[in-house]
Amino acid sequence: MPDPIEVRKVPIESVTDASGLSRLIADGVIEADRVLAVVGKTEGNGGVNDYTRILADRAFREVLAEHGHPAPDSVPLVWSGGTDGVLSPHATIFATTADAPPSEEPRLSVGVAMSEVILPEDIGRPAMVEKVAAGVREAMKIAGIDDPRDVHYVQTKTPLLTLATITDAKSRGQDTAIEETGPSMDLSNSTTALGIAVALGEIDMPRADQIHKDLSLYSSVASCSSGVELDRAQIVLVGNVRGIGGRYRIGHSVMKDALDADGIWEAIRDSGLPLPERPHPSDLGGRLVNVFMKCEADPSGRVRGRRNIMLDDSDVHWHRQIKATVGGVAASVTGDPAVFVSVAAVHQGPSGGGPVAAIADLA
């Protein structure tokens, strides 16, 4: 049986601020050497050259090292760049704990794994799907989860294409699925999501021509991000296990479109928080740790029948517009702008919508 989990959300007050993590350790809430993973939002542009992710990564690893973590470089730190609109930079920290109340009810468990190295020529192709799927299966074992239905959230970070990695592939006689670095972010995310879906039995192994194209294929629990700071898939798998003990539980649902607040409330209900028929943020009572969601501009260019111009806008990329939109909807539900909203959600939830996971404190 894996150890029970402590999970806390802390603000990030500047690009290199990791004081929230430092305080948790100093106050004895968590122990540095028990930190399993960090999932956070940074304030950069969310693009290929968003180095706020690297700055945050360095700051948090330095805190772990200062407080005695024996291998801080081995801890998965998954940073999603871009806090458009009201979104606020923050980090959610997952750690094991020796001080947790016993419970036979489903309680939070976390499995962390790394895939095999993902080569530039793998991105957007079945080889990447297979490597991610193998990593997800390993993370399930570590979390003590046998039934894929007990998995509610899989957060990944994978490599995208850069000029250097494209050149590297060519030097070895290989080609890449595309040669544009910016769009490779979306392609890496979508390929990863299919790997998660395959591992959890949500879909069969896709054909090469279905990757990033067949929008009927998706995972309801995948949240995939990509960047320049790694060469394999970092996998943080979160689910529930009976008998593990602890205070926390996770649930999930999907947003059917960018305005689907009910989808967020359904994920919160699924986490075990009792809610009235028409809930309000005040009904949460401080028991919601965080929500995690992916979003995507609907390829039809419409939301609930109304036309929008996100996909035609040459001034502000649609990534930033849809992230701000869904962030506002999520903040209005939770009453807290420090929510995890990430973009590029092809194969992650239904087209035009996205998956939502919610972690609740049931103490």
Side-chain angles (χ1 to χ4, degrees), residues 6-28:
E6 183 69 37
V7 54
R8 296 295 179 99
K9 180 171 68 177
V10 298
I12 297 176
E13 299 295 350
S14 66
V15 177
T16 57
D17 174 38
S19 62
L21 171 59
S22 187
R23 282 193 299 273
L24 287 175
I25 297 171
D27 292 345

Short mmCIF file of all heavy atoms in Angstrom, two decimals, residues 6-28:
data_model
loop_
_atom_site.label_atom_id
_atom_site.label_comp_id
_atom_site.label_asym_id
_atom_site.label_seq_id
_atom_site.Cartn_x
_atom_site.Cartn_y
_atom_site.Cartn_z
N GLU A 6 -0.37 14.26 1.33
CA GLU A 6 -0.69 15.63 1.73
C GLU A 6 -0.57 16.48 0.47
O GLU A 6 0.39 16.34 -0.30
CB GLU A 6 0.29 16.12 2.79
CG GLU A 6 0.00 17.52 3.31
CD GLU A 6 -1.27 17.59 4.13
OE1 GLU A 6 -1.57 16.63 4.89
OE2 GLU A 6 -1.98 18.62 4.04
N VAL A 7 -1.55 17.35 0.24
CA VAL A 7 -1.52 18.20 -0.95
C VAL A 7 -1.92 19.62 -0.57
O VAL A 7 -2.93 19.82 0.11
CB VAL A 7 -2.42 17.64 -2.09
CG1 VAL A 7 -3.84 17.39 -1.62
CG2 VAL A 7 -2.41 18.54 -3.31
N ARG A 8 -1.12 20.58 -0.97
CA ARG A 8 -1.37 21.98 -0.63
C ARG A 8 -1.11 22.87 -1.84
O ARG A 8 -0.22 22.59 -2.67
CB ARG A 8 -0.47 22.42 0.51
CG ARG A 8 -0.71 21.71 1.84
CD ARG A 8 -2.09 22.01 2.41
NE ARG A 8 -2.33 21.32 3.66
CZ ARG A 8 -2.20 21.86 4.86
NH1 ARG A 8 -1.83 23.14 4.98
NH2 ARG A 8 -2.44 21.16 5.95
N LYS A 9 -1.84 23.98 -1.91
CA LYS A 9 -1.65 24.99 -2.96
C LYS A 9 -1.01 26.22 -2.36
O LYS A 9 -1.43 26.67 -1.28
CB LYS A 9 -2.99 25.35 -3.61
CG LYS A 9 -2.89 26.39 -4.71
CD LYS A 9 -4.21 26.53 -5.44
CE LYS A 9 -5.30 27.14 -4.59
NZ LYS A 9 -6.55 27.34 -5.35
N VAL A 10 0.01 26.75 -3.04
CA VAL A 10 0.68 27.96 -2.55
C VAL A 10 0.75 28.98 -3.67
O VAL A 10 0.87 28.63 -4.85
CB VAL A 10 2.10 27.65 -2.03
CG1 VAL A 10 2.05 26.70 -0.85
CG2 VAL A 10 3.00 27.09 -3.14
N PRO A 11 0.70 30.28 -3.33
CA PRO A 11 0.83 31.32 -4.36
C PRO A 11 2.29 31.47 -4.80
O PRO A 11 3.22 31.11 -4.07
CB PRO A 11 0.35 32.58 -3.64
CG PRO A 11 0.66 32.33 -2.20
CD PRO A 11 0.46 30.85 -1.99
N ILE A 12 2.47 32.00 -6.00
CA ILE A 12 3.79 32.39 -6.50
C ILE A 12 3.75 33.89 -6.71
O ILE A 12 3.07 34.39 -7.61
CB ILE A 12 4.14 31.65 -7.80
CG1 ILE A 12 4.23 30.15 -7.55
CG2 ILE A 12 5.45 32.17 -8.38
CD1 ILE A 12 4.49 29.32 -8.80
N GLU A 13 4.46 34.64 -5.86
CA GLU A 13 4.34 36.09 -5.83
C GLU A 13 5.31 36.81 -6.78
O GLU A 13 5.19 38.01 -7.00
CB GLU A 13 4.55 36.60 -4.41
CG GLU A 13 3.52 36.07 -3.41
CD GLU A 13 2.11 36.56 -3.70
OE1 GLU A 13 1.94 37.46 -4.56
OE2 GLU A 13 1.16 36.04 -3.08
N SER A 14 6.29 36.09 -7.32
CA SER A 14 7.18 36.63 -8.35
C SER A 14 7.70 35.45 -9.15
O SER A 14 7.49 34.28 -8.77
CB SER A 14 8.34 37.42 -7.73
OG SER A 14 9.19 36.55 -7.00
N VAL A 15 8.38 35.73 -10.25
CA VAL A 15 8.76 34.65 -11.16
C VAL A 15 9.58 33.56 -10.47
O VAL A 15 9.42 32.37 -10.75
CB VAL A 15 9.55 35.23 -12.36
CG1 VAL A 15 10.01 34.11 -13.28
CG2 VAL A 15 8.69 36.20 -13.14
N THR A 16 10.45 33.95 -9.55
CA THR A 16 11.32 32.98 -8.88
C THR A 16 10.92 32.74 -7.43
O THR A 16 11.74 32.32 -6.62
CB THR A 16 12.79 33.45 -8.93
OG1 THR A 16 12.88 34.75 -8.33
CG2 THR A 16 13.28 33.53 -10.37
N ASP A 17 9.67 32.99 -7.09
CA ASP A 17 9.22 32.85 -5.70
C ASP A 17 8.84 31.41 -5.39
O ASP A 17 7.91 30.86 -5.99
CB ASP A 17 8.01 33.76 -5.45
CG ASP A 17 7.42 33.55 -4.06
OD1 ASP A 17 8.21 33.35 -3.12
OD2 ASP A 17 6.18 33.59 -3.94
N ALA A 18 9.56 30.79 -4.47
CA ALA A 18 9.20 29.46 -3.98
C ALA A 18 9.03 29.49 -2.47
O ALA A 18 9.15 28.46 -1.79
CB ALA A 18 10.27 28.45 -4.37
N SER A 19 8.72 30.67 -1.94
CA SER A 19 8.60 30.81 -0.48
C SER A 19 7.43 30.02 0.08
O SER A 19 7.46 29.60 1.25
CB SER A 19 8.46 32.29 -0.10
OG SER A 19 7.28 32.86 -0.67
N GLY A 20 6.39 29.80 -0.72
CA GLY A 20 5.25 29.03 -0.24
C GLY A 20 5.66 27.60 0.09
O GLY A 20 5.25 27.04 1.12
N LEU A 21 6.47 27.00 -0.78
CA LEU A 21 6.98 25.66 -0.50
C LEU A 21 7.88 25.68 0.73
O LEU A 21 7.79 24.81 1.59
CB LEU A 21 7.75 25.14 -1.72
CG LEU A 21 8.53 23.84 -1.53
CD1 LEU A 21 7.60 22.69 -1.13
CD2 LEU A 21 9.30 23.49 -2.80
N SER A 22 8.75 26.69 0.82
CA SER A 22 9.67 26.78 1.95
C SER A 22 8.91 26.88 3.28
O SER A 22 9.28 26.25 4.28
CB SER A 22 10.59 27.99 1.76
OG SER A 22 11.58 28.02 2.75
N ARG A 23 7.82 27.65 3.29
CA ARG A 23 7.03 27.80 4.51
C ARG A 23 6.37 26.49 4.92
O ARG A 23 6.30 26.16 6.11
CB ARG A 23 5.98 28.90 4.34
CG ARG A 23 6.52 30.31 4.46
CD ARG A 23 5.40 31.32 4.60
NE ARG A 23 4.52 31.31 3.43
CZ ARG A 23 4.73 32.03 2.34
NH1 ARG A 23 5.80 32.83 2.25
NH2 ARG A 23 3.88 32.00 1.33
N LEU A 24 5.84 25.76 3.93
CA LEU A 24 5.21 24.47 4.25
C LEU A 24 6.20 23.53 4.92
O LEU A 24 5.86 22.81 5.87
CB LEU A 24 4.66 23.83 2.97
CG LEU A 24 3.41 24.44 2.35
CD1 LEU A 24 3.07 23.75 1.04
CD2 LEU A 24 2.22 24.36 3.31
N ILE A 25 7.43 23.54 4.42
CA ILE A 25 8.46 22.67 5.00
C ILE A 25 8.85 23.17 6.39
O ILE A 25 8.94 22.40 7.35
CB ILE A 25 9.68 22.59 4.07
CG1 ILE A 25 9.28 21.95 2.73
CG2 ILE A 25 10.80 21.79 4.72
CD1 ILE A 25 10.36 22.02 1.66
N ALA A 26 9.09 24.49 6.50
CA ALA A 26 9.50 25.06 7.79
C ALA A 26 8.44 24.87 8.86
O ALA A 26 8.77 24.67 10.05
CB ALA A 26 9.82 26.54 7.61
N ASP A 27 7.17 24.93 8.46
CA ASP A 27 6.07 24.78 9.43
C ASP A 27 5.75 23.32 9.74
O ASP A 27 4.84 23.05 10.53
CB ASP A 27 4.81 25.48 8.90
CG ASP A 27 4.97 26.99 8.85
OD1 ASP A 27 5.91 27.51 9.48
OD2 ASP A 27 4.15 27.64 8.16
N GLY A 28 6.42 22.40 9.10
CA GLY A 28 6.20 20.99 9.36
C GLY A 28 4.98 20.40 8.70
O GLY A 28 4.55 19.28 9.03
#
